[in-house]
């Protein structure tokens, strides 16, 4: 049974990187009139409350979206179009100005898709699947959006290639199980065989764990073998090392949990416009969200 719930992490720094990138990719891909299919293999609940218990318990949104909003005025130059577009799109879910609602990847995608496009959402957690179904029902989007309570790694196969031969596959597992890293690589390898002209976007955590470290290297190898262009961006906001802080006379010194220090997105066949957009946005994200001297970004491409 999975324990991961994205409600605790909605709007954190990893969501900022992932969702700002997703918006840019979909803006580009929806410029061409040919219908597009978006397959979100790990969809989550779709919509989140930032004033709910989960967000308050973790406090992660304070290190991401809220910090971005509150520190924006301190930037020496206007926010990059990628950051502004992200803030505007999230703001569009909060027309009352409350900022309480946060859209996950399914709702970000749906907002950018056209009527002729399709959205396939895989989610396995029983509670989040139910929430996702309820949220999607409110959209009244009919057959445009499908929720599948199935394994997204396995289920992806049936949608490749899509009828219109244009698709974005968004793969954003919780990596709760160590085998998820290998599954991502194996699923991308299989997907590239089934549908070589598709676009693929993978999110992963930047953490001191060999599997996490290896994943972008494996994806690079797969893209290179398939002779496809790729783009890899990471955003780190703080050191991943545990710090020891005094936490009261009785407890003595307790190691403070550091939380997620950084994350990365790896894209195969990204829009050619994305690299320049990230090049402008990432230094601003480091300066807005960075917490210590470990704050940094990387951006590389190939193919
Ligand atoms: N993509 C979402 C977003 O950006 O808003 C967040 C997704 S969250 C990081 C990962 C989700 O994958 C969790 O809700 C978890 O329950 C779900 N999950 C885990 N393993 C899965 C699998 N094999 N197939 C489909 N969903 C899975």
């Amino acid at each position: 049974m999975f324990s991961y719930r994205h409600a605790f992490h909605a709007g954190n720094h990893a969501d900022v990187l992932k969702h700002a990138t997703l918006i840019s990719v979909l803006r580009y891909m929806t410029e061409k009139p040919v219908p597009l299919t978006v397959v979100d293999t790990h969809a989550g609940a779709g919509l989140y409350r930032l004033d709910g218990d989960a967000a308050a318990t973790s406090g992660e949104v304070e290190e991401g979206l809220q910090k971005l909003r509150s520190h924006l005025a301190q930037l020496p130059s206007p926010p990059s179009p990628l950051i502004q577009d992200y803030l505007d799109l999230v703001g569009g879910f909060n027309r009352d100005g409350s900022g309480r609602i946060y859209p996950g990847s399914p709702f970000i995608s749906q907002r950018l898709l056209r009527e002729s496009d399709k959205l396939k959402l895989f989610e396995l957690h029983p509670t989040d699947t139910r929430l996702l179904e309820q949220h999607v029902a409110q959209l009244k989007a009919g057959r445009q959006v499908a929720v599948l309570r199935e394994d997204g790694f396995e289920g992806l196969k049936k949608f490749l290639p899509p009828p219109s031969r244009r698709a974005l596959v968004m793969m954003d597992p919780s990596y709760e199980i160590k085998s998820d890293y290998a599954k991502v690589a194996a699923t991308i390898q299989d997907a590239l065989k089934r549908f070589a002209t598709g676009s693929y976007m993978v999110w992963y955590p930047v953490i001191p764990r060999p599997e996490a470290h290896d994943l972008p290297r494996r994806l690079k190898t797969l893209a290179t073998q398939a002779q496809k262009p790729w783009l890899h961006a990471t955003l780190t906001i703080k050191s991943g090392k545990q710090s020891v802080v005094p936490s009261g006379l009785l407890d003595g010194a307790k190691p403070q949990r550091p939380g997620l220090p950084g994350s990365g997105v790896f894209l195969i066949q990204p829009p050619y416009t994305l690299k320049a957009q990230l090049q402008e946005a990432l230094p601003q994200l480091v300066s807005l969200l960075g917490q210590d001297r470990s704050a940094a970004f990387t951006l590389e491409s190939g193919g």
Side-chain angles (χ1 to χ4, degrees):
M1 183 62 187
F2 299 113
S3 62
Y4 181 95
R5 305 286 313 281
H6 197 67
F8 289 89
H9 312 285
N12 70 1
H13 63 89
D15 266 8
V16 172
L17 173 67
K18 173 179 55 182
H19 293 154
T21 305
L22 176 65
I23 292 167
S24 171
V25 170
L26 284 176
R27 289 244 183 254
Y28 179 86
M29 292 190 83
T30 50
E31 272 172 16
K32 281 192 192 158
V34 183
L36 176 70
T37 298
V38 175
V39 185
D40 197 332
T41 57
H42 297 72
L47 280 179
Y48 305 95
R49 293 289 302 237
L50 296 180
D51 60 349
D53 288 346
T57 306
S58 74
E60 288 190 24
V61 68
E62 306 297 333
E63 294 184 327
L65 173 65
Q66 304 297 35
K67 193 165 179 192
L68 197 63
R69 281 178 176 149
S70 60
H71 285 54
L72 211 55
Q74 291 172 18
L75 276 180
S77 51
S80 80
L82 189 112
I83 296 175
Q84 192 60 59
D85 202 9
Y86 165 73
L87 289 170
D88 290 347
L89 190 135
V90 173
F93 285 85
N94 294 279
R95 295 222 180 272
D96 60 357
S98 66
R100 284 184 304 213
I101 305 293
Y102 189 78
S105 53
F107 272 66
I108 289 176
S109 297
Q110 202 276 335
R111 180 111 337 166
L112 296 171
L113 294 183
R114 298 132 332 157
E115 253 176 62
S116 56
D117 299 326
K118 295 270 184 280
L119 180 58
K120 312 292 184 192
L121 304 171
F122 288 96
E123 175 53 49
L124 265 186
H125 194 290
T127 310
D128 278 351
T129 311
R130 206 177 56 243
L131 287 170
L132 181 63
E133 280 167 349
Q134 287 168 5
H135 293 146
V136 166
Q138 288 167 18
L139 286 170
K140 302 205 186 311
R143 291 160 60 95
Q144 185 198 34
V145 185
V147 177
L148 301 103
R149 188 174 165 184
E150 295 172 29
D151 177 356
F153 292 121
E154 200 49 41
L156 169 65
K157 293 178 184 164
K158 64 179 158 214
F159 293 118
L160 300 183
S164 70
R165 304 253 155 195
R166 291 190 71 233
L168 170 69
V169 175
M170 161 84 180
M171 198 170 291
D172 177 26
S174 42
Y175 299 96
E176 217 179 334
I177 317 170
K178 208 166 71 174
S179 58
D180 272 0
Y181 294 95
K183 272 193 188 169
V184 167
T187 306
I188 294 288
Q189 185 171 25
D190 176 77
L192 279 168
K193 282 193 195 127
R194 288 172 193 270
F195 182 43
T197 53
S199 291
Y200 298 89
M201 174 170 164
V202 172
W203 177 91
Y204 72 96
V206 173
I207 48 173
R209 165 168 221 160
E211 293 83 3
H213 201 69
D214 278 350
L215 182 58
R217 282 206 289 244
R218 294 175 75 172
L219 293 173
K220 229 175 275 179
T221 304
L222 291 176
T224 308
Q225 282 168 350
Q227 298 182 308
K228 302 295 173 197
W230 55 268
L231 184 63
H232 177 211
T234 66
L235 172 67
T236 299
I237 64 154
K238 59 185 173 184
S239 162
K241 293 198 186 95
Q242 286 198 337
S243 58
V244 177
V245 291
S247 67
L249 289 173
L250 292 176
D251 289 344
K254 237 179 169 176
Q256 192 183 46
R257 290 194 63 206
L260 180 67
S263 70
V265 283
F266 193 98
L267 296 106
I268 299 176
Q269 278 174 158
Y272 77 96
T273 46
L274 183 62
K275 188 175 184 186
Q277 291 188 354
L278 284 167
Q279 189 78 59
E280 196 184 344
L282 284 167
Q284 291 189 336
L285 289 175
V286 170
S287 100
L288 288 164
L289 303 182
Q291 295 182 13
D292 58 33
R293 282 161 52 178
S294 301
F297 73 89
T298 62
L299 183 61
E300 50 170 357
S301 61

